[in-house]
Amino acid sequence: MDRTVLHNAVIAHTSFSFCRSGGKGGQNVNKVNSKVHATLPVNAIAGLSEEELAAVLQKLSGRINTEQFLCLDVDDERSQDINRSIALARLESLIASAAYIRPKRKKTRPSKAAREKRLADKKLRSALKKARGKFWDE
Protein backbone atom coordinates (compact mmCIF):
# COMPACT_ATOMS: atom_id res chain seq x y z
CA MET A 1 0.00 0.00 0.00
CA ASP A 2 1.31 3.42 -0.95
CA ARG A 3 0.10 5.88 1.71
CA THR A 4 1.01 9.02 -0.26
CA VAL A 5 -0.97 7.89 -3.32
CA LEU A 6 -3.87 6.92 -1.06
CA HIS A 7 -3.71 10.28 0.73
CA ASN A 8 -3.73 12.21 -2.56
CA ALA A 9 -6.61 10.10 -3.94
CA VAL A 10 -8.71 10.68 -0.83
CA ILE A 11 -8.12 14.44 -0.96
CA ALA A 12 -8.78 14.67 -4.71
CA HIS A 13 -11.92 12.53 -4.98
CA THR A 14 -13.79 13.13 -1.73
CA SER A 15 -16.90 15.27 -2.04
CA PHE A 16 -18.57 16.98 0.89
CA SER A 17 -22.06 18.05 1.79
CA PHE A 18 -22.96 19.98 4.91
CA CYS A 19 -25.93 20.12 7.26
CA ARG A 20 -26.77 21.24 10.77
CA SER A 21 -25.35 19.06 13.48
CA GLY A 22 -27.22 18.16 16.62
CA GLY A 23 -26.15 18.22 20.22
CA LYS A 24 -24.73 21.02 22.30
CA GLY A 25 -23.91 24.41 20.89
CA GLY A 26 -26.99 26.51 21.50
CA GLN A 27 -27.76 29.06 18.83
CA ASN A 28 -24.65 28.03 16.86
CA VAL A 29 -26.21 24.61 16.18
CA ASN A 30 -29.38 26.23 14.84
CA LYS A 31 -27.55 28.60 12.50
CA VAL A 32 -24.41 26.92 11.17
CA ASN A 33 -24.05 23.90 8.86
CA SER A 34 -21.05 22.35 10.58
CA LYS A 35 -21.78 18.62 10.14
CA VAL A 36 -19.78 17.10 7.27
CA HIS A 37 -21.03 14.23 5.12
CA ALA A 38 -18.04 12.95 3.11
CA THR A 39 -18.42 10.56 0.18
CA LEU A 40 -15.62 8.86 -1.72
CA PRO A 41 -16.19 6.71 -4.82
CA VAL A 42 -14.75 3.24 -4.23
CA ASN A 43 -13.29 3.06 -7.74
CA ALA A 44 -11.29 6.25 -7.05
CA ILE A 45 -9.32 4.68 -4.20
CA ALA A 46 -5.73 4.46 -5.46
CA GLY A 47 -2.52 3.07 -4.01
CA LEU A 48 -3.91 -0.36 -3.11
CA SER A 49 -3.25 -3.77 -4.60
CA GLU A 50 -6.08 -6.02 -5.81
CA GLU A 51 -6.10 -8.05 -2.57
CA GLU A 52 -6.09 -4.91 -0.44
CA LEU A 53 -8.95 -3.40 -2.43
CA ALA A 54 -10.95 -6.63 -2.04
CA ALA A 55 -10.31 -6.53 1.72
CA VAL A 56 -11.48 -2.90 1.87
CA LEU A 57 -14.68 -3.75 -0.01
CA GLN A 58 -15.39 -6.66 2.31
CA LYS A 59 -14.51 -4.98 5.63
CA LEU A 60 -16.18 -1.65 4.87
CA SER A 61 -19.28 -3.09 3.17
CA GLY A 62 -21.49 -1.56 5.87
CA ARG A 63 -20.23 1.94 4.99
CA ILE A 64 -20.47 1.54 1.21
CA ASN A 65 -23.84 2.40 -0.32
CA THR A 66 -25.49 0.94 -3.43
CA GLU A 67 -23.87 3.55 -5.70
CA GLN A 68 -20.42 2.32 -4.54
CA PHE A 69 -19.61 5.39 -2.44
CA LEU A 70 -17.84 5.16 0.90
CA CYS A 71 -19.75 7.46 3.27
CA LEU A 72 -18.72 9.10 6.53
CA ASP A 73 -20.36 11.69 8.80
CA VAL A 74 -18.39 13.94 11.18
CA ASP A 75 -19.87 16.41 13.64
CA ASP A 76 -17.22 16.35 16.36
CA GLU A 77 -16.33 20.05 16.35
CA ARG A 78 -18.23 23.31 15.95
CA SER A 79 -16.15 24.34 12.94
CA GLN A 80 -16.92 23.06 9.44
CA ASP A 81 -13.27 23.28 8.35
CA ILE A 82 -12.05 21.22 11.29
CA ASN A 83 -14.78 18.61 10.68
CA ARG A 84 -13.76 18.45 7.01
CA SER A 85 -10.12 17.75 7.89
CA ILE A 86 -11.19 15.17 10.49
CA ALA A 87 -13.34 13.46 7.83
CA LEU A 88 -10.41 13.27 5.38
CA ALA A 89 -8.11 11.83 8.06
CA ARG A 90 -10.75 9.28 9.14
CA LEU A 91 -11.41 8.17 5.58
CA GLU A 92 -7.72 7.62 4.99
CA SER A 93 -7.20 5.72 8.25
CA LEU A 94 -10.37 3.64 7.67
CA ILE A 95 -9.16 2.57 4.25
CA ALA A 96 -5.60 1.91 5.47
CA SER A 97 -6.72 -0.21 8.42
CA ALA A 98 -9.22 -2.16 6.30
CA ALA A 99 -6.58 -2.78 3.62
CA TYR A 100 -4.16 -4.36 6.09
CA ILE A 101 -3.80 -8.07 5.44
CA ARG A 102 -2.31 -10.10 8.27
CA PRO A 103 0.66 -12.18 7.22
CA LYS A 104 0.22 -15.94 7.42
CA ARG A 105 1.47 -17.48 10.64
CA LYS A 106 4.51 -19.68 10.30
CA LYS A 107 4.12 -22.84 12.33
CA THR A 108 6.96 -23.32 14.79
CA ARG A 109 7.82 -25.94 17.35
CA PRO A 110 9.24 -25.33 20.80
CA SER A 111 12.95 -26.03 21.10
CA LYS A 112 14.32 -28.92 23.13
CA ALA A 113 15.56 -26.55 25.85
CA ALA A 114 12.09 -24.92 26.08
CA ARG A 115 10.41 -28.34 26.43
CA GLU A 116 12.87 -29.39 29.15
CA LYS A 117 12.39 -26.10 31.02
CA ARG A 118 8.59 -26.51 30.89
CA LEU A 119 8.84 -30.06 32.29
CA ALA A 120 11.26 -28.95 35.01
CA ASP A 121 8.87 -26.12 36.00
CA LYS A 122 5.99 -28.62 36.13
CA LYS A 123 7.98 -30.95 38.40
CA LEU A 124 8.93 -28.04 40.66
CA ARG A 125 5.30 -26.91 40.89
CA SER A 126 4.17 -30.47 41.59
CA ALA A 127 6.72 -30.86 44.39
CA LEU A 128 5.62 -27.52 45.88
CA LYS A 129 1.99 -28.58 45.92
CA LYS A 130 2.86 -32.02 47.34
CA ALA A 131 4.74 -30.34 50.18
CA ARG A 132 1.54 -28.53 51.19
CA GLY A 133 -0.20 -31.82 52.02
CA LYS A 134 -0.75 -33.12 55.52
CA PHE A 135 1.89 -35.32 57.01
CA TRP A 136 0.77 -38.13 59.32
CA ASP A 137 3.04 -39.39 62.02
CA GLU A 138 2.44 -43.05 62.70
Side-chain angles (χ1 to χ4, degrees), residues 1-70:
M1 168 187 351
D2 191 359
R3 282 299 284 249
T4 56
V5 174
L6 176 65
H7 177 76
N8 293 335
V10 168
I11 289 175
H13 299 289
T14 303
S15 59
F16 300 101
S17 61
F18 307 99
C19 60
R20 293 190 177 108
S21 64
K24 298 176 185 174
Q27 192 174 7
N28 186 65
V29 172
N30 300 332
K31 289 173 27 178
V32 181
N33 291 334
S34 60
K35 182 177 181 178
V36 173
H37 180 74
T39 56
L40 176 67
V42 174
N43 60 2
I45 298 173
L48 301 177
S49 67
E50 292 295 322
E51 296 113 14
E52 291 171 337
L53 187 60
V56 166
L57 291 174
Q58 186 217 354
K59 291 178 185 174
L60 298 180
S61 62
R63 291 182 179 263
I64 298 174
N65 62 14
T66 55
E67 290 89 28
Q68 296 299 308
F69 282 94
L70 180 62

Side-chain angles (χ1 to χ4, degrees), residues 93-114:
S93 67
L94 257 175
I95 294 167
S97 64
Y100 178 73
I101 299 170
R102 291 180 92 177
K104 297 261 185 197
R105 182 185 175 274
K106 294 178 185 173
K107 291 184 179 178
T108 59
R109 302 183 102 173
S111 65
K112 186 175 180 181

